[in-house]
Amino acid sequence: LPAQLLQLAQDAETELRLQRDLLLQIQKLSRLQRQKTPKPPRKTTPKIPTAAGEELPVIPVLVLACDRSSVRRCLDKILRYRPSARRFPVIVSQDCGHAETAKVIASYGQAVAHIRQPDLSDIAVPPEHRKFQGYYKISRHYRWALGQVFRTFRYRAAIVVEDDLEVAPDFFEYFQAVLPLLEEDRSLWCASAWNDNGKEGLVDAGRAELLYRTDFFPGLGWLLLAELWDELEPKWPPAFWDDWMRQPEQRRGRACVRPEVSRTMTFGRKGVSHGQFFDQYLKFIKLNDRFVPFTQMDLSYLKKDEYERFFLQQVYSAPEVQLEELQKDLGRDSGAVRLQYRGRDSFKALAKALGLMDDLKSGVPRAGYRGVVSFVCRGRRVFLAPPSDWTGYDPSWS
């Protein structure tokens, strides 16, 4: 037993030393990046060998911070649930120059790398966008911070988190499991921890292992590859970056992976959006509270061809019901049903009646895939779906 304890202590000391070396390297690169042009990114994902002979990817967590000292809540959970400092280095990128927030970040010492967005100037915006100055600064910060991760530090993938998010116990397990899908299936361009319709009564909390494809870019804790940044960086928008991501020109028919039960929740009512959607939807999002061993599961069902075969068959074989029938259902029936919409106004009316988010971006409903939104109503699986001869999204539906 003393020999085992000694070995554990030595392993822990080695882990801490490697973590310190990694963070010092990140900070050194951050200081040097203004002095020289960074080299092109590596084409191989860095891996860490394990005792069992496996090679696990290194995936940094990029935390975007500004002037919320409550970033502590975000970082505490990330560091609590992080399985390895070597595999998941945490980089906090701070904009705004807010001293109190900087002090909070600095209090974590070598547990995180703290980098600072250097350009704090106001941005020249069109007169009609004067009140949206904050959105321009956020977009500038994203561009700079992602540039640091993929250009200066040369990582091949990254998880992006904002400072008002709290993560679930299996947050890292989820992203580690879906990374190979993004690398293999070019019809996927991101994985998100977020379900836009993830309110308590709209999800099956007992099936936290369920994952879906979605045509809607969710954000709010998401994974991307360096190849995607290569594509997006040259045309990165001056503002409203998330809605820009949802445009057909960026999405290009690709999908994201998203969970049944969210692996992040937001506590940030204060921000540039002034609490838009927060009181009505966001504060009610169910955060997963049990660990799902995703890395031990076969997730190949999420690849495009296989997913569309079983998902569309499941949707269109479900019996069609009317809204009134669904609302009167007392839970005696448990099988999946389909609620059909036949136009923009029809979708919005049904979504609103059922407590779903009813807005559309470039014609795509939140959490939708091929126009279908999957959710739970009174304990029953429901597919809010277009007719089976659906041919594509209409960008005028906004």
Side-chain angles (χ1 to χ4, degrees), residues 208-222:
E209 75 280 2
L210 290 176
L211 302 178
Y212 300 84
R213 292 174 69 101
T214 177
D215 295 321
F216 191 92
F217 172 73
L220 293 170
W222 57 289

Side-chain angles (χ1 to χ4, degrees), residues 45-61:
T45 305
K47 300 284 201 314
I48 290 177
T50 68
E54 301 174 280
E55 287 195 336
L56 299 175
V58 177
I59 315 174
V61 181

Side-chain angles (χ1 to χ4, degrees), residues 13-31 42 46-48 56-61 82 84-92 109-115 149 152-155 157:
E13 184 179 349
T14 300
E15 171 95 0
L16 286 171
R17 187 173 67 253
L18 288 168
Q19 179 189 357
R20 284 196 297 269
D21 292 346
L22 178 61
L23 290 171
L24 286 170
Q25 183 182 13
I26 288 174
Q27 290 162 348
K28 181 180 178 181
L29 283 168
S30 181
R31 289 194 298 270
R42 293 191 300 264
K47 300 284 201 314
I48 290 177
L56 299 175
V58 177
I59 315 174
V61 181
R82 180 174 65 168
S84 166
R86 295 169 65 196
R87 284 165 42 212
F88 299 100
V90 177
I91 302 169
V92 185
Q110 297 297 315
V112 306
H114 185 188
I115 61 176
V149 167
T152 305
F153 308 145
R154 299 190 295 174
Y155 285 108

Side-chain angles (χ1 to χ4, degrees), residues 234-285:
K235 57 178 182 175
W236 191 253
F240 310 109
W241 71 270
D242 49 351
D243 282 344
W244 175 83
M245 291 276 287
R246 294 163 184 150
Q247 294 172 356
E249 295 81 5
Q250 279 63 253
R251 191 172 72 81
R252 293 169 50 199
R254 294 171 293 189
C256 295
V257 177
R258 62 97 174 166
E260 169 79 5
V261 185
S262 289
R263 265 57 185 189
T264 53
M265 64 168 286
T266 177
F267 53 86
R269 189 179 190 283
K270 173 195 168 188
V272 294
S273 64
H274 305 296
Q276 182 189 27
F277 296 133
F278 186 84
D279 291 325
Q280 190 176 359
Y281 296 104
L282 303 184
K283 73 178 182 181
F284 299 110
I285 294 294

Side-chain angles (χ1 to χ4, degrees), residues 268-307:
R269 189 179 190 283
K270 173 195 168 188
V272 294
S273 64
H274 305 296
Q276 182 189 27
F277 296 133
F278 186 84
D279 291 325
Q280 190 176 359
Y281 296 104
L282 303 184
K283 73 178 182 181
F284 299 110
I285 294 294
K286 162 74 176 171
L287 180 67
N288 183 55
D289 57 7
R290 68 180 181 88
F291 188 92
V292 175
F294 284 114
T295 56
Q296 299 173 30
M297 297 178 175
D298 181 2
L299 302 183
S300 61
Y301 69 90
L302 290 163
K303 292 183 179 180
K304 181 180 172 68
D305 291 344
E306 185 174 346
Y307 187 83

